[in-house]
Amino acid sequence: QVQLVESGGGLVQAGGSLRLSCAASRSIFSINSMAWHRQAPGKQRELVATISSRGRTNYADSVKGRFTISGDNAKNTVSLQMNNLKPEDTAVYYCNVESSWSGSYWGQGTQVTVSS
């Protein structure tokens, strides 16, 4: 069974940076897209950024200009560079891979805490 393993979360001061990484334990074929979502306490999970198999990216308005998603379909990895972090970015971040062959995969989540 394929697992997505995330790393890179932690505690950072407002204005700081973090880089999240996610890697699949085994190969995933026919990837349509890779993404990062987040869920803050008491809130619904929200989409942060996506990257298509062709490299097209989309971002939530709240992170545009601050976050950058990158991915490597061949290596089954996706990363999220987060700059100028704000306290409202505090959440558990989840990576997600969508495959037209085998369905959806989710990571276990990594905590990001931004102090003011």
Side-chain angles (χ1 to χ4, degrees):
Q1 188 174 358
V2 177
Q3 293 183 332
L4 299 183
V5 180
E6 298 140 338
S7 60
L11 173 64
V12 64
Q13 288 188 335
S17 298
L18 283 174
R19 184 176 181 85
L20 305 182
S21 297
C22 175
S25 59
R26 295 173 59 183
S27 294
I28 301 174
F29 300 101
S30 302
I31 292 176
N32 286 334
S33 64
M34 296 187 282
W36 287 92
H37 301 248
R38 68 186 181 187
Q39 187 166 19
K43 295 187 177 181
Q44 290 187 335
R45 188 174 297 189
E46 64 172 347
L47 178 63
V48 175
T50 63
I51 183 166
S52 73
S53 58
R54 296 187 177 184
R56 180 172 295 179
T57 59
N58 280 292
Y59 298 92
D61 288 343
S62 59
V63 307
K64 281 181 181 177
R66 300 188 297 121
F67 290 10
T68 302
I69 188 171
S70 58
D72 188 325
N73 284 2
K75 295 182 179 179
N76 294 168
T77 59
V78 59
S79 297
L80 185 69
Q81 178 66 42
M82 305 185 294
N83 298 329
N84 190 22
L85 282 160
K86 303 176 180 180
E88 50 264 43
D89 295 319
T90 295
V92 177
Y93 284 70
Y94 300 89
C95 66
N96 162 241
V97 175
E98 298 290 330
S99 165
S100 60
W101 176 256
S102 52
S104 298
Y105 300 89
W106 289 87
Q108 79 287 354
T110 185
Q111 177 70 47
V112 171
T113 303
V114 184
S115 63
S116 56

